[in-house]
Amino acid sequence: MIKIVTIVGARPQFIKAAAISRAIRNEFSDSIKEIIVHTGQHYDPNMSKVFFEELNIPQEDYNLGVGSDSHAKQTARIMEGIEDILLKEKPDCLLLYGDTNSTLAGGVAASKLHIPIVHVEAGVRSYNKHYPEEVNRIVCDHLSTLLFTPTVSGVNNLAKEGFNLENKAPYHVDNPKVFFCGDIMYDNSLHFAEVAKTQSNILNKLGVEGKNYVLVTVHRPHNTDDLLALNSLFKCFNDLSQKDKIHFIIPLHPRTQKAMEKGLDAGLYHSIKHNPYIQIIPPASFLDIIQLEKNAQLIMTDSGGVQKEAYYFHVPGIIFMDETPWVELVESGNARVVGSDENKIKDAYSYFMKNRIALKYPSLYGDGKAAQFICRQLVDTFAVK
């Protein structure tokens, strides 16, 4: 039996970890022992604990409780905690997801201890290093032994960076292996969409069951900390909802709530608070967000995970970023990158509302069985001594 240490710290990682933990529990319990480390990067119960409970992720074995801070301080504290755990547990490999500070810290700590790194969601690139996530994912990829990429474009990105796609076993950091496995988020969306049908009543609770509505999520610092961007986005939400008398459902990240209260123009803030078509709600659980995504007319977001979830459920997306690492969404014609530009947002909104029924959604993210594939490769690679 192999021992793996899994690092999670943020919402998308909790969701991805659920798929791997489910595959281990259902199919690999006799060959993989998983130790889960929660870094505490997301420490609000609505952003963390609820996901563990709802997604049936095993209780974490360790919680570092690092909380929020600057990138350097947060990363340093996570590295220090992970190093102690790795020295104690002596795993066969460290499993990392995505592109957070938890991912970066885990990768650096494990590499110094010569513990093989497995990166799920490797090869994703926006080609803009101003985003801290881009730096995190590049560093992690180049420290990894096994790289599992969700898309063909991810494989191509790694090839451009010098990874040899023909490498043969035994694999190690200087002879890494790249796999196209499909998107583990797709596994979960398929699985939990069925669960949400019976366990989520969010549509009824909000009074939007059977109604047209737009789902909005905003949390990235370039949108919440820039007052011009913040005001531009919320002006669009206010204008469009009133013009078309369509509900805008906005599960509000704690960062955005604080920014909105402090940074919005007083008149705009007052208008939004009294706009009957804007419903601002606390952060939604995963099952609730799945229900909201599946039934939305349109999704507006700056979340990488929500961008893809919109596609899974055949809902067009408007992306509040200057570029997206999920370029295939834009290339397929089902999403537009608009930043915080008011004209671009309104143009994209108008286009998708008129054309959404005619859009096509080709299969881009695998067959929904990425977790099983990854577990099989872990056993095949690390069970051999």
Side-chain angles (χ1 to χ4, degrees), residues 118-329:
V118 176
H119 190 198
V120 175
E121 208 172 81
V124 177
R125 298 289 183 268
S126 68
Y127 293 103
N128 184 345
K129 294 188 181 73
H130 284 95
Y131 289 116
E133 296 89 350
E134 182 79 353
V135 175
N136 293 348
R137 62 175 72 106
I138 290 171
V139 172
C140 185
D141 279 346
H142 286 266
L143 296 176
S144 294
T145 290
L146 301 184
L147 299 95
F148 294 97
T149 179
T151 62
V152 173
S153 62
V155 175
N156 294 336
N157 291 339
L158 292 172
K160 290 176 190 174
E161 293 176 17
F163 285 85
N164 183 354
L165 304 183
E166 305 303 322
N167 281 349
K168 305 297 183 185
Y171 305 122
H172 48 78
V173 69
D174 292 317
N175 187 54
K177 181 62 177 177
V178 174
F179 298 95
F180 167 60
C181 64
D183 197 332
I184 202 166
M185 294 286 274
Y186 186 40
D187 293 24
N188 272 330
S189 292
L190 293 176
H191 177 80
F192 287 108
E194 292 301 312
V195 177
K197 286 180 182 178
T198 57
Q199 294 192 18
S200 171
N201 69 343
I202 188 68
L203 301 180
N204 182 262
K205 181 179 178 181
L206 296 177
V208 294
E209 188 124 35
K211 293 184 180 178
N212 294 343
Y213 66 87
V214 175
L215 176 64
V216 178
T217 75
V218 183
H219 78 280
R220 290 184 184 268
H222 70 264
N223 287 321
T224 61
D225 299 351
D226 183 325
L227 295 187
L228 289 176
L230 188 71
N231 278 270
S232 176
L233 291 175
F234 277 88
K235 183 177 184 299
C236 285
F237 308 155
N238 200 45
D239 291 349
L240 292 170
S241 62
Q242 290 181 329
K243 178 178 73 73
D244 286 354
K245 294 181 171 52
I246 184 170
H247 289 267
F248 272 54
I249 308 298
I250 310 178
L252 211 58
H253 190 285
R255 179 193 296 123
T256 313
Q257 178 71 59
K258 292 177 183 177
M260 183 179 168
E261 292 169 355
K262 294 180 179 179
L264 282 190
D265 173 83
L268 175 59
Y269 186 71
H270 180 270
S271 181
I272 287 171
K273 294 291 284 186
H274 293 86
N275 182 344
Y277 297 105
I278 287 184
Q279 292 179 261
I280 294 175
I281 63 175
S285 72
F286 185 60
L287 294 184
D288 284 348
I289 206 76
I290 285 281
Q291 275 294 83
L292 288 168
E293 289 168 347
K294 280 177 59 182
N295 292 279
Q297 300 285 303
L298 178 66
I299 292 175
M300 299 178 166
T301 187
D302 60 8
S303 163
V306 174
Q307 290 173 39
K308 289 186 296 173
E309 288 158 13
Y311 187 90
Y312 302 154
F313 298 124
H314 295 184
V315 179
I318 295 176
I319 302 169
F320 302 137
M321 301 169 70
D322 293 325
E323 58 271 303
T324 175
W326 307 106
V327 294
E328 60 279 351
L329 298 177

Side-chain angles (χ1 to χ4, degrees), residues 214 236 240 297-300 316-320 333-339 341-356 359:
V214 175
C236 285
L240 292 170
Q297 300 285 303
L298 178 66
I299 292 175
M300 299 178 166
I318 295 176
I319 302 169
F320 302 137
N334 295 287
R336 284 194 184 180
V337 171
V338 297
D341 187 295
E342 184 178 344
N343 291 328
K344 289 182 179 179
I345 294 169
K346 290 181 175 178
D347 285 347
Y349 170 89
S350 177
Y351 173 81
F352 284 130
M353 282 303 195
K354 290 177 182 176
N355 297 284
R356 61 184 183 80
L359 297 175

